[in-house]
Amino acid sequence: MGIQPGRTGFRILAYMSMGIAVVGVVLPLLPTTPFVILAAFFASKGSPAFALWLEQHPSFGPAIRHWRLRRAIPRKAKILAIGMMALSWSSMVWLGASAFVLSVSGLFLLGVAIYMLTRPSC
């Protein structure tokens, strides 16, 4: 059968995303839920066993199920993510970032915030 580069790449991305999510559990500035959902997506493409483990995990499973069934994001995750985006952008203002950087990053962060706010909450 041999090594399948596509599956291996997705598996690596799944583990990297989950690693970031785990760091987000202990670091209040890093949201966990988006990275768990991303890990579940990559795992479904590259590691069915890891995908099943994520879906059945007592902490991570509900967020994955809500996303897959209703494209819903937990209200707490929305508040935290949008708060951290606002804090990040404010930090760039305080640190004196250029108008171009503030404009581009502000538009990107605003787009992400609008997307999150238009998803159902769970």
Side-chain angles (χ1 to χ4, degrees), residues 13-101:
L13 290 170
Y15 289 122
M16 287 174 54
S17 298
M18 194 61 211
I20 295 169
V22 169
V23 170
V25 169
V26 293
L27 286 180
L29 297 176
L30 188 62
T32 301
T33 304
F35 290 104
V36 169
I37 293 169
L38 192 60
F41 169 76
F42 289 137
S44 71
K45 306 288 186 206
S47 177
F50 185 49
L52 183 63
W53 179 83
L54 282 172
E55 292 165 8
Q56 293 177 345
H57 192 277
S59 297
F60 305 132
I64 295 167
R65 284 190 293 281
H66 288 303
W67 178 254
R68 286 191 176 154
L69 294 174
R70 298 182 32 235
R71 293 293 190 242
I73 300 172
R75 184 177 319 281
K76 182 179 173 183
K78 286 181 181 182
I79 292 168
L80 182 61
I82 291 170
M84 291 303 105
M85 287 188 288
L87 181 63
S88 296
W89 192 82
S90 298
S91 296
M92 287 190 293
V93 170
W94 185 73
L95 292 170
S98 71
F100 176 75
V101 169

